[in-house]
Amino acid sequence: MPLPKLPSKPATILATEDYPTAGAARPATKTPAAKKVAAPIIEAAIAEVAKPVRNAATRIKQVAALMVAKPVPVAAPAPAPEPVAAPAPVAKAKSKPAAKAKVTEVPSAKVTPIKAVKQAEQAHPAKHKPVEVPLKSSASRAADQRGVTKLFVLDTNVLMHDPSSLFRFEEHDVYLPMMTLEELDNHKKGMTEVARNARQVSRTLDALISNTDDDAIEKGIPLAKLGNKDAKGRLFFQTRLQSADLPAGLPVGKADNQILAVVRSLESEQEGRPVVLVSKDINMRIKARALGLPAEDYFNDHVMEDTDLLYSGIVQLPDDFWNKHAKDMESWQESKNGYSSTFYRVTGPFIPSLLVNQFIYLEPKNGEAPFYGQVKQINGKTAVLQTLRDFSHNKNNVWGVTARNREQNFALNLLMNPECDFVTLLGQAGTGKTLLALAAGLAQVLETKLYNEIIVTRVTVPVGEDIGFLPGTEEEKMSPWMGAFDDNLEVLNKSDSDGGEWGRAATQDLIRSRIKIKSLNFMRGRTFVNKFLIIDEAQNLTPKQVKTLVTRAGPGTKILCLGNIAQIDTPYLTEGSSGLTYVVDRFKGWSHSGHVTLARGERSRLADHASEVL
């Protein structure tokens, strides 16, 4: 589902048109009259193509000119009947337990026409960096059409990026040049993630070639030898010197050029079989394409190809939702966590497209009261919807913070829900991710005593040049990276003006005593019990690092992942392969997790304008 477009004008709530409405416009079907007119034109085009011609490009131009010269008139579709406003459905009372009170209030059900054109032209809200669309090489696409297995030559950075990449090529074969093994040996020393991956790849290769004679290495080692049943291909090593003619200007001793020479030599040796170079290095792929060699990116680490399709956690209901889903509807009220909310059990065709804990809303255009809810249960075409707590009202403020727009209200409903153990907040700079997370953490640590303390961590990837080693303890070393939290704590502390300077100083000391700043480097093996864990800048984490952090949760711990996938600073990490994208896609629909994409900047009019024009 495409996400809402980010407006440039300052407003508290986004316009309804800026959100995608449920259900895309159906393509217009051809009428019988249009088919009769189109048939002779299509037959003429087929006849033109069937004529023998020496130049195929000339024939394509002739057919295109024929189709342009004779446009096919399409009969206009019949005008749709104007929808008639239906009376509001009345909840059907069924036998309920005594604790549940029957409620006759039902959200408004007046129908307004849906603008199908705007549905098809919805744009993505945040201005992300241009996504590197994973495109296969022409040789790879031709092999897919013919059903031929390919021979993938792996660059070193692929193995160091994903140690299990050897087993991710399905039925195709994998070839490792000797220079790739040499570079693996050069990077195996150290405590970095790259060094650990290099050592893991070396151990995997050692297990594959153990108990194998030289003839088997020459013929290829089955990749399924270690139990990876999905890998049906074979692993080949470079066992002899392969020479190939490269342009004279290229340095012979450079590792990349030697790998390119191996790819060209394999192409000449194995004629008819597609040989494809796989590399995470963009310049390596550009050099290969310039030399006429097929090259591709490593696709298996991409969660999705288009991040515009990333789950947003929010969906707009169609205007006729209550007309189609109010039959046999039940409603009742329950009090939980000190708050009374209304539940609706509805059945209809739109329900299967929803997910558990997804937020839904319906804002009638005639000025009636809007409906904001959350999906709590789904069973086939039946769902239980729960109304939300209005955190935009000052009486429901969280540590003095109120929601300024619809998405922030949805986010606070997740953050203040003790049944929701894992929350992800996605949004560009200034949408309030850190402020909402800290306010919810302070309220549940110091007021309701639901958690013991707040633990804050983030990836220490600098935007510019590194400033070198930092002195002091772990928290003192992490303090320069936590400037964003210090700024938000200052805002939250200023909201308490009744106690004066002494009161604010005491409050600040109390808050500081309940907030612990930890480094990611020392997280392995830890277990957090009754903690409120905030992972900031989670877009710079790899899926493996995110798994390490999320699995630290013990009983009663809540984990928040905050980030903006348009600001990734980690090398070889893209919007599609980020750990934040990974967890958003994997956790959607789980009953104890939730996600919200914040689309409206609330930092300042200057920041909003800068996000729009810069």
Side-chain angles (χ1 to χ4, degrees), residues 96-115:
K96 290 285 171 188
K100 298 180 180 179
K102 184 176 72 174
V103 179
T104 56
E105 276 188 293
V106 178
S108 59
K110 187 171 181 178
V111 181
T112 55
I114 300 176
K115 298 180 180 179

Side-chain angles (χ1 to χ4, degrees), residues 289-302:
R289 292 293 181 92
L291 295 174
L293 302 175
E296 296 177 3
D297 189 8
Y298 177 62
F299 301 145
N300 287 291
D301 62 335
H302 289 253

Side-chain angles (χ1 to χ4, degrees), residues 33-69:
K35 291 181 180 179
K36 291 180 180 179
V37 178
I41 305 299
I42 296 174
E43 291 175 0
I46 295 173
E48 287 290 334
V49 176
K51 291 180 181 180
V53 66
R54 295 179 180 177
N55 192 347
T58 306
R59 174 59 60 210
I60 294 173
K61 292 180 180 178
Q62 292 175 356
V63 175
L66 178 65
M67 298 300 290
V68 172

Side-chain angles (χ1 to χ4, degrees), residues 104 223 285 314 334 357 373 376 423 436 533 538 582 602 613:
T104 56
L223 288 170
R285 298 199 300 268
I314 306 170
E334 288 183 5
N357 278 350
K376 303 306 291 183
V423 178
L436 295 178
L533 178 59
Y582 180 74
E602 297 290 349
V613 301

Side-chain angles (χ1 to χ4, degrees), residues 5 561 596:
K5 185 178 179 181
C561 284
V596 171

Side-chain angles (χ1 to χ4, degrees), residues 323-381:
N323 285 346
K324 293 183 177 180
H325 298 74
K327 185 179 180 181
D328 298 333
M329 182 176 67
E330 307 169 37
S331 62
W332 67 94
Q333 282 187 338
E334 288 183 5
S335 294
K336 198 170 185 180
N337 300 322
Y339 171 70
S340 178
S341 57
T342 306
F343 291 82
Y344 299 95
R345 181 177 283 110
V346 296
T347 303
F350 187 66
I351 301 303
S353 64
L354 299 176
L355 292 172
V356 176
N357 278 350
Q358 189 174 23
F359 290 98
I360 55 177
Y361 75 95
L362 178 60
E363 295 177 343
K365 302 178 180 66
N366 55 3
E368 295 183 5
F371 171 73
Y372 301 108
Q374 188 179 17
V375 182
K376 303 306 291 183
Q377 295 178 11
I378 293 181
N379 186 10
K381 291 188 176 182

Side-chain angles (χ1 to χ4, degrees), residues 6-7 125-128 405 408 425-435 484 488 536-537 539 562-567 597-612:
L6 180 68
K127 297 213 166 191
H128 293 322
N405 54 49
Q408 288 188 356
L425 298 182
L426 196 64
Q428 69 170 15
T431 50
K433 305 182 295 293
T434 307
L435 183 67
N488 286 279
D536 196 22
E537 303 294 340
Q539 77 275 2
L562 320 176
N564 177 16
I565 58 174
Q567 295 178 345
T597 299
L598 301 172
R600 178 71 177 91
E602 297 290 349
R603 180 167 287 167
S604 68
R605 58 190 178 190
L606 173 60
D608 294 343
H609 186 66
S611 299
E612 180 70 23

